[in-house]
Amino acid sequence: MTNTVAAANAELSRCVAVSPIPVFDKPTIAAQPPLAVRSNRLQRYPLLSLSLLERSAIHNSRLRSMSKDSDGSGGLTYKDAGVDIDAGTELVRRIAKMAPGIGGFGGLFPLGDSYLVAGTDGVGTKLKLAFETGIHETIGIDLVAMSVNDIVTSGAKPLFFLDYFATSHLDVDLAEKVIKGIVDGCQQSDCALLGGETAEMPDFYAKGEYDLSGFAVGIVKKDSVIDGKNIVAGDVLIGLPSSGVHSNGFSLVRRVLARSGLSLKDQLPGAAGTLGEALMAPTVIYVKQVLDIIDKGGVKGIAHITGGGFTDNIPRVFPKGLGAVIYNNSWNVPAVFKWIQQAGNIEDAEMRRTFNMGIGMVLVVSKEASQRILDDAKGAYTAYDIGEVVNGEGVTYR
């Protein structure tokens, strides 16, 4: 963007030179729990081949038809809250005509014997809850997570991150809190905060509000790309737990909250903390855990469970003719999702297509690798055997 002295839009570029191994001051905010919701995320990145694009188009067409009867009588839907997943999918389809290859979790650019993998995202209307709760220290973690979790699905190690912070009037103390969260997120994903842009645009945003965007770039060897092409029936779905809603579906969450009559300060039914604390829990950054699992072998495909839930995201990594069976009750569904469904009278199908339901990342692995991953998880982290790959398309539950 061009800067002029007379411009009402004051833009402050923040770029730094970094060493190959970034060094961060220890963040002053609380650490992320060991081991949100915003409008639908509709990525449009090049896939590795046209055949994968054609496969994605088939899945999207099928999934749209599956979703039309999921509203439920009297129950809230994502579309009721103002987010039309089908319209977004149609936009991606049209863009794909102009830029063939669109449709993956991240964009791959060839560079010698490697690919640079790029992703961009925001945190959507989770920001509305940040404004209401005053919790700004962790929203930056969400921002980093949404991009780095996407690019790691290709097996890429994040290299660097850039942010965009826009507001009508720059509150330096508030912006510092947000940036500290971004620094923390970069530290958790072992990537450099390379720079960013601060845009002060009078009269564009409501007082005290701001918007965020993030951009991540990683790298993976061409012979190590995780692309799903070797997935076969009988492979196992390993689920990694989420911290809660993460950063998707908050338009529906806010509608449910308004209907429920509860406030963000009220206790979350079935849990010890408040609704505000549960909903603002930062998105889990899976980078180090996923790369460690990949290094041990047997990982064939990875799906980041964001907008579209299980229904739309898991099939994106499958070859044509394959689908998934998800085992009901194979993991612990967090209390926040139970409250959302009950308070909003939301149908199961709508929940599964909007929220992560407690699983933020799904790895498709061989049977041999699955046992090793589950055994390793007993000490270092938590993982669940949540389903299997089957012949036939779509996602079913049993």
Side-chain angles (χ1 to χ4, degrees), residues 152-186:
V152 81
T153 63
S154 296
K157 180 193 181 300
L159 296 174
F160 58 84
F161 186 84
L162 299 163
D163 71 89
Y164 174 80
F165 179 97
T167 186
S168 286
H169 175 73
L170 184 60
D171 181 331
V172 176
D173 292 336
L174 176 61
E176 182 183 24
K177 291 179 181 179
V178 175
I179 302 303
K180 283 182 178 178
I182 294 174
V183 170
D184 191 9
C186 287

Side-chain angles (χ1 to χ4, degrees), residues 78 85 248-249 252 306-309 349-356:
Y78 211 4
I85 295 178
N248 291 95
L252 181 53
T306 56
E350 190 73 13
M351 291 291 295
R352 292 165 177 165
R353 201 188 182 205
T354 304
F355 302 109
N356 66 62

Side-chain angles (χ1 to χ4, degrees), residues 52 55 59 228-232 315 317-323 393:
L52 285 174
R55 170 198 323 166
H59 285 313
K229 66 182 181 182
N230 295 322
I231 294 174
V232 297
V317 304
F318 290 162
K320 182 181 178 181
L322 295 179
E393 298 182 344

